[in-house]
């Protein structure tokens, strides 16, 4: 959803039923992100007619700041709309257009364009032109013959085939290939895609009625699991394009793991066969912590099923219902806009449920036909949908919580109560819930929340995804856990799924990831006293608080490019000094290794990198950008030196993506010229590893970026899910590469750090130390676990484990060999 204002629409009709039906139809075109549409239909007395005061009010409701298009049905509707303009403030009236467009087609066309963020004039033009496909199809400029007057065969059939402007309906069959099937997120993606086409698109599966492809819920309820044959059908001007687009989306699998499309098409997919055992807790996000419980309940009270609304009040009630649903969708979209990664995706998929046109129509029908309250209508419809999801099992069942969350939020909006969310507490706590919906976690402060335990959910549920993204230990499927009293102390293990109520002191001491009850205190050493520095990886000043709390000894990698990813032009020196000082100030007297801008490849900076490189990972990235524009590097070094002068941190600087000794020399010379005494380079390329001895003669330290060193050693894109096994940091080839560097460090007495993700793995850290690495830098949350692992082992054991892992033939055997040695 766009966060900038969009053109709003007002539908003026003599008949509330006609207006509601037209809006429902138009909303199907823009399911994922509808524009504001307000209805002004009928008289205040509930009679057929129009009312200028209501139209003026509706204009105010629809206005977001980009203007309003008013579509009218006939006769006095036009006059009432003109009169309504008189009621408005003259400035406000300036941005309102009464459009002589066909009522239904015009509304649909305007809704699609407004949803896409078009300007007021563009929306007006689209609405006005909306009749042309129909008139061209039936013969442009010809007076329309009444069917009875038509010659044999009728005027449509008499038209030559090539005169028909509207294309024929399009159809395609496709097999669902992604392991999760067309669950909520893919459904939202499809609905979002079809909104861009001028076409009515349906999806169908054998034995079920077709669902509008504009309706995420309609699609999800088809329960199209992996292997299901889906028919895509479309009509309208862009039918063929729409079908092609939906087909491509389904075939590509929405970025999920794919299953063999040639398999038995109606077999349940692997995901549904792997249903979790009810009552068997499952660890889904690593970490072992202890803390007091806070139970989150969704306290929405079931709305009264006996209440009835008088017929004359039903139109207003339906308006209220529609507005509440759209308001919830907008709020969730706005929250999603503030997030990144998978949290954003899942929240957007949930927002699409609240905006689902089929759901709106079904809920409104309860109000219109039975006189139910809007909140009761929502309770029934979304409750039914959640039940269908649960019945479908597997991933669908895991997403039922999202539906219930949307239900409760809409009801909260309608009844004016607090929407559901995570309770606020001043102390760290373990959050216990039936299940967590994406929106619940928006306000979740990872510094306060130690872990998440839910009754529902499985390894692919949103709770699991979000917990992993937030770096919180999580256990799902813990039936009965919400019965615990607030404050009960729990030990939670996100690896094994173990949950212990009121753990003993001995059991508490086995926890590894608690801020408030640390079992390990730095500085890090092996059991026989060999010192290893554990630093934090920091991408922005806000990351420093956690690093300090977790006991990191300074910063082993400050990714400066993360401070400036949104800049179109080079940040000024003063801006840079301010950003760097914020980080340095958090670590007085401690080491902070600043990496100069690592722009390019997966982290483009518009002011420094080209966007047309055929192979950016092998292109001008990192230190190589200085070949084109050395001034940016020199300015940055100057800013780092100034910030270092102003603070007491012991600042060091290093360059990313170094491939030759000559590059290292060049960097050292520039850094020293800027006044920085301690200068190093990252070893991220096999070439740098091969000349490690020579590199170490020109620098003060090296830091191995195992993320990239693995990518370049294995020739496997670090972003490719398909090649993830090659990118495993336990690959013996990578371990041997690190060994080369560690040995060079020992020969030349040069500190060798690791700041790639591998440093955060408590099982791998002892192996890395055994390979000669002297410091490890990682995300703050891993510090305790790594420190604990090292403190239990003598250096000789780390060395033996390193030798065993390097000698193995593959990552699994490397892990097993190291674990066997480390176990003693
Ligand atoms: C690395 O490559 O391991 C590294 C630490 O750098 P980045 O992940 O920022 O490329
Ligand atoms: Mg790197």
């Amino acid at each position: 959803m766009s966060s900038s204002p969009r053109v709003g629409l007002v539908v003026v009709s003599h008949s509330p039923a006609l207006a509601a039906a037209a809006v429902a139809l138009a909303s199907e075109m823009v399911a994922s992100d509808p524009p504001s549409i307000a209805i002004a239909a009928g008289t205040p007395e509930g009679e057929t007619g129009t009312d200028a005061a209501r139209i003026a009010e509706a204009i105010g409701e629809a206005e977001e700041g980009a203007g309003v298009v008013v579509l009218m049905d006939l006769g006095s509707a036009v006059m009432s709309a003109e009169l309504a303009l008189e009621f408005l403030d003259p400035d406000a009236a300036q941005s309102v257009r009464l459009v002589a467009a066909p009522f239904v087609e015009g509304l649909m066309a305007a809704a699609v364009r407004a949803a896409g963020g078009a300007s007021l004039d563009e929306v007006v033009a689209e609405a006005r032109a909306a009749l042309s496909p129909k008139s061209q199809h039936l013969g442009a400029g010809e007076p329309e013959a009444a069917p009875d007057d038509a010659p044999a065969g009728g005027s449509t059939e008499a038209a030559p085939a090539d005169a028909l402007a509207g294309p024929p309906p399009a159809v395609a069959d496709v097999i669902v290939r992604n392991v999760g099937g067309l669950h909520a997120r893919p459904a939202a993606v499809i609905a979002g895609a079809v909104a861009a086409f001028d076409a009515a698109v349906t999806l169908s599966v054998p034995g079920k009625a077709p669902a509008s492809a504009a309706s995420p819920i309609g699609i999800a309820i088809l329960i199209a699991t992996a292997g299901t044959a889906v028919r895509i059908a479309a009509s309208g001007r862009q039918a063929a394009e729409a079908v092609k687009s939906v087909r491509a989306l389904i075939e590509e699998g929405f970025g999920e793991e794919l299953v063999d499309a040639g398999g038995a098409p109606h077999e349940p997919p692997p995901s549904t066969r792997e249903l979790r055992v009810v009552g068997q807790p499952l660890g889904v996000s690593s970490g072992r912590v202890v803390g007091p419980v806070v139970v989150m309940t969704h306290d929405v009270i079931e709305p009264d099923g006996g209440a009835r609304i008088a017929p004359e009040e039903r139109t207003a009630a339906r308006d209220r219902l529609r507005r509440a649903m759209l308001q919830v969708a907008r709020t969730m979209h706005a929250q999603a806009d503030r997030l990144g990664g998978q949290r954003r995706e899942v929240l957007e998929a949930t927002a699409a449920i609240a905006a689902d046109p089929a759901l709106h129509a079904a809920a409104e029908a309860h109000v219109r036909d039975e006189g139910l309250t809007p909140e009761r209508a929502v309770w029934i419809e979304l409750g039914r949908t959640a039940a269908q999801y649960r019945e479908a099992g597997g991933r669908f069942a895991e997403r039922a919580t999202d539906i219930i969350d949307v239900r409760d939020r809409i009801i909260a909006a309608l009844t004016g109560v607090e929407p559901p969310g995570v309770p606020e507490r001043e102390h760290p706590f373990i959050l216990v819930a039936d299940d967590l919906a994406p929106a619940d976690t928006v306000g979740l402060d990872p510094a306060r929340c130690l872990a998440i335990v839910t009754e529902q959910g499985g390894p692919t549920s949103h709770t699991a995804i979000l917990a992993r993204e937030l770096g919180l230990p999580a256990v799902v499927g813990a039936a009965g856990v919400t019965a615990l009293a607030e404050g009960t102390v729990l030990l939670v293990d996100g690896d094994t799924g173990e949950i212990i109520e009121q753990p003993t002191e001995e059991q508490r001491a086995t926890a590894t990831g608690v801020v408030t009850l640390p079992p390990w205190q730095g500085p890090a050493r092996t059991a026989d006293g060999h010192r290893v520095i554990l630093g934090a990886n920091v991408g922005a000043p806000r990351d420093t608080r956690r690093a300090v709390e977790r006991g990191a000894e300074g910063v082993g990698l400050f990714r400066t490019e993360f401070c400036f990813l949104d800049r179109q032009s080079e940040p000024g020196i003063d801006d840079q000094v301010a950003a760097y000082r914020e980080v340095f100030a958090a670590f007085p007297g401690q080491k902070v290794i600043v990496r100069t801008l690592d722009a390019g490849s997966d982290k483009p900076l518009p002011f420094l990198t080209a966007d047309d490189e055929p192979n950016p990972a092998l292109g001008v990235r990192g230190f190589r950008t200085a070949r084109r524009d050395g001034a940016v590097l020199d300015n940055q070094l100057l800013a780092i030196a100034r910030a270092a002068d102003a603070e007491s941190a012991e600042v060091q600087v290093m360059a990313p993506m170094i491939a030759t000794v000559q590059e290292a020399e060049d960097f050292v010379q520039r850094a020293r010229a800027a006044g920085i005494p301690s200068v190093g380079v990252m070893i991220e390329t096999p070439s740098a590893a091969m000349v490690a001895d020579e590199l170490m003669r020109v620098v003060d330290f090296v830091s191995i970026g195992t993320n990239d060193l693995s990518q370049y050693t294995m020739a496997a894109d670090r972003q490719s899910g398909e090649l993830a096994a090659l990118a495993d940091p336990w690959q013996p080839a990578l371990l041997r590469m690190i060994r080369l560097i560690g040995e060079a460090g020992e020969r030349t007495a040069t500190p060798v750090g690791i700041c790639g993700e591998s440093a955060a793995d408590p099982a791998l850290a002892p192996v890395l130390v055994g390979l000669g690495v002297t410091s490890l830098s990682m995300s703050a949350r891993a510090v305790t676990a790594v420190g604990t692992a090292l403190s239990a082992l003598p250096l000789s054991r780390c060395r033996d484990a390193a030798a065993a892992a390097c000698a193995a033939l593959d990552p699994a055997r490397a892990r097993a060999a190291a674990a066997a040695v480390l176990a003693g």
Side-chain angles (χ1 to χ4, degrees):
M1 165 172 176
S2 143
S3 47
S4 46
R6 294 179 300 175
V7 172
L9 308 178
V10 169
V11 179
V12 181
S13 170
H14 284 68
S15 154
L18 175 61
V23 171
L25 198 59
S27 300
E28 287 193 24
M29 295 290 148
V30 287
S32 64
D33 190 12
S36 293
I37 308 180
I39 293 177
T43 66
E45 295 73 39
E47 316 263 306
T48 301
T50 53
D51 173 48
R54 168 63 202 142
I55 299 171
E57 194 180 274
I59 290 171
E61 286 164 14
E63 177 65 279
E64 284 186 9
V68 173
V69 164
V70 181
L71 296 136
M72 300 137 286
D73 58 4
L74 69 166
S76 63
V78 179
M79 272 146 4
S80 297
E82 282 173 335
L83 186 58
L85 293 187
E86 312 261 321
F87 295 164
L88 298 178
D89 175 89
D91 280 349
Q94 288 282 324
S95 57
V96 179
R97 302 272 197 285
L98 310 186
V99 180
F103 186 66
V104 176
E105 291 91 338
L107 175 59
M108 289 173 70
V112 170
R113 292 291 275 155
S119 69
L120 185 58
D121 287 341
E122 287 166 336
V123 176
V124 169
E126 192 78 12
R128 281 209 187 108
L131 203 55
S132 59
K134 200 197 273 174
S135 51
Q136 282 174 23
H137 184 80
L138 296 173
E142 293 297 319
E144 278 182 29
D148 289 349
D149 297 336
S155 60
T156 304
E157 283 167 35
D162 58 6
L164 301 183
V171 176
D173 291 321
V174 61
I175 303 285
V176 176
R177 300 180 63 211
N178 59 308
V179 69
L182 302 188
H183 59 82
R185 191 180 58 81
V189 171
I190 293 173
V194 300
F197 295 102
D198 180 9
V201 187
T202 60
L203 299 187
S204 55
V205 300
K208 284 201 176 152
S212 162
S215 163
I217 288 187
I219 299 171
I221 283 176
L222 291 173
I223 314 294
T225 50
T228 303
V230 173
R231 169 154 296 186
I232 313 159
S235 60
R237 195 169 59 81
Q238 293 181 302
E241 292 95 319
V243 167
K244 196 166 157 210
S245 156
V246 175
R247 180 186 186 151
L249 283 172
I250 295 176
E251 276 176 347
E252 281 159 18
F254 307 92
E256 288 180 11
E257 188 189 332
L258 302 181
V259 294
D260 181 11
H266 295 291
E267 281 261 300
S271 62
T272 56
R273 284 197 296 261
E274 285 166 16
L275 280 182
R276 65 179 174 77
V277 183
V278 173
Q280 167 96 50
L282 187 71
V284 291
S285 179
S286 283
R288 186 174 170 92
V289 297
V290 177
V293 157
V294 166
V295 182
M296 185 176 91
T297 45
H298 277 251
D299 273 340
V300 168
I301 297 164
E302 179 173 350
D304 181 3
R308 288 290 177 276
I309 297 180
E312 65 276 13
E313 287 166 13
R314 291 183 189 172
T315 305
R318 282 165 51 207
D319 267 5
R320 220 156 52 76
L321 170 55
R322 176 173 294 273
R323 276 205 298 277
M325 294 173 97
L326 292 178
Q327 180 54 43
V328 168
R330 280 203 197 96
T331 306
M332 293 177 113
H333 271 302
Q335 289 173 329
D337 278 349
R338 293 199 293 274
L339 299 174
Q342 288 185 314
R343 295 178 79 199
R344 182 189 186 121
E345 262 181 40
V346 294
L347 201 53
E348 275 173 349
T350 315
I353 298 170
D356 191 304
L359 178 65
H360 285 208
E364 280 189 37
H366 288 296
V367 180
R368 182 189 61 224
D369 303 337
E370 301 158 52
L372 296 187
T373 60
E375 48 274 24
R376 181 71 192 173
V378 169
W379 178 270
I380 293 175
E381 275 312 315
L382 279 164
R384 192 200 321 274
T385 308
Q388 282 170 308
Y389 271 50
R390 286 208 184 93
E391 227 168 78
R395 289 187 179 212
F396 289 95
E398 289 175 3
R399 300 288 148 89
T401 304
D402 304 353
I403 310 274
I404 295 299
D405 180 61
V406 170
R407 179 196 74 184
D408 293 351
R409 277 169 202 281
I410 299 171
I411 293 175
L414 283 164
T415 53
V417 302
E418 268 299 291
V422 176
E424 288 193 2
R425 294 291 181 276
E426 288 302 311
H427 57 81
F429 59 87
I430 290 177
L431 182 65
V432 166
D434 183 49
D435 203 354
L436 282 186
D440 291 329
T441 63
V442 170
L444 195 64
D445 178 359
R448 284 270 152 74
C449 183
L450 301 171
I452 297 171
V453 183
T454 60
E455 295 215 3
Q456 311 290 331
T460 59
S461 63
H462 287 155
T463 300
I465 294 170
L466 298 165
R468 285 194 287 263
E469 188 145 317
L470 290 167
L472 292 174
V475 173
V476 299
V481 76
T482 53
L484 288 173
E486 167 137 2
T488 310
V489 175
L490 281 193
L491 182 150
V492 174
D493 192 318
D495 293 291
T496 61
E498 187 181 12
I499 299 174
I500 303 174
E501 195 181 332
Q502 305 293 17
T504 61
E505 277 307 314
E506 218 172 50
Q507 288 167 326
R508 284 172 181 235
T510 63
T512 51
V514 188
V515 191
T516 48
L517 304 165
W520 170 85
Q521 292 285 352
R525 293 178 195 283
T526 57
D528 52 345
H530 175 74
R531 191 76 171 84
V532 182
I533 295 166
L534 301 189
N537 288 355
V538 164
R542 66 170 178 277
D543 298 342
T544 55
R545 190 183 51 141
R546 242 180 148 199
V548 173
E549 279 171 3
R550 300 277 166 131
E553 285 186 71
V555 172
L557 169 64
F558 176 12
R559 290 181 160 108
T560 54
E561 63 281 359
F562 281 18
C563 301
F564 306 113
L565 286 176
D566 56 345
R567 298 293 180 106
Q568 295 301 312
S569 56
E570 181 189 355
I573 294 197
D574 288 347
D575 274 8
Q576 294 194 45
V577 172
Y580 306 152
R581 279 190 66 180
E582 242 187 287
V583 172
F584 299 170
F587 298 94
Q590 289 185 289
K591 283 198 164 76
V592 176
I593 303 182
V594 186
R595 177 173 74 183
T596 53
L597 296 172
D598 185 22
S601 191
D602 54 329
K603 292 169 290 195
L605 288 180
F607 61 88
L608 199 52
T609 49
D611 56 10
D612 56 355
E613 282 191 298
N615 208 341
L618 300 182
V620 184
R621 61 166 295 200
F623 178 73
R624 297 172 181 189
T625 56
R627 290 165 179 257
R628 291 188 180 160
D629 190 352
V632 174
L633 175 61
D634 290 335
N635 286 340
Q636 187 182 19
L637 290 168
L638 214 58
I640 295 167
R642 272 200 211 158
D645 280 347
E647 302 292 341
S648 69
E650 197 187 309
V651 175
Q652 302 177 282
V653 71
M654 67 181 178
M657 196 63 185
I658 292 290
T660 68
V661 177
Q662 199 185 355
E663 286 173 344
E665 280 171 343
D666 182 10
F667 180 69
V668 170
Q669 190 255 319
R670 283 168 187 263
R672 295 218 204 285
I676 302 167
S678 179
V679 188
V681 292
M682 291 190 73
I683 299 193
E684 306 187 276
T685 59
S687 58
M690 301 311 283
V691 295
D693 280 281
E694 290 82 352
L695 272 184
M696 288 176 190
R697 287 199 191 101
V698 297
V699 297
D700 299 312
F701 65 93
V702 299
S703 182
I704 307 174
T706 44
N707 307 337
D708 277 317
L709 186 57
S710 148
Q711 151 162 278
Y712 298 124
T713 300
M714 304 304 296
D717 186 337
R718 64 191 264 184
Q719 310 218 72
S720 163
E722 209 173 336
L723 301 179
L726 289 177
D728 189 325
W730 285 88
Q731 282 287 355
L734 178 66
L735 297 177
R736 292 182 204 182
M737 196 65 89
I738 297 169
R739 184 169 63 187
L740 281 182
I741 305 163
E743 287 170 354
E746 279 165 7
R747 273 195 296 274
T748 58
T750 307
V752 174
I754 288 195
C755 59
E757 288 304 306
S758 61
D761 178 349
L764 186 51
V767 171
L768 300 175
V769 169
L771 290 172
V773 167
T774 56
S775 66
L776 298 166
S777 187
M778 62 205 75
S779 80
R781 70 188 158 80
V783 170
T784 312
V786 170
T788 307
L790 291 175
S791 66
L793 299 159
L795 180 60
S796 58
R797 192 99 59 79
C798 297
R799 291 213 166 109
D800 292 347
C806 282
L809 293 179
D810 57 50
R813 280 180 267 190
R815 272 192 184 88
V821 173
L822 293 175

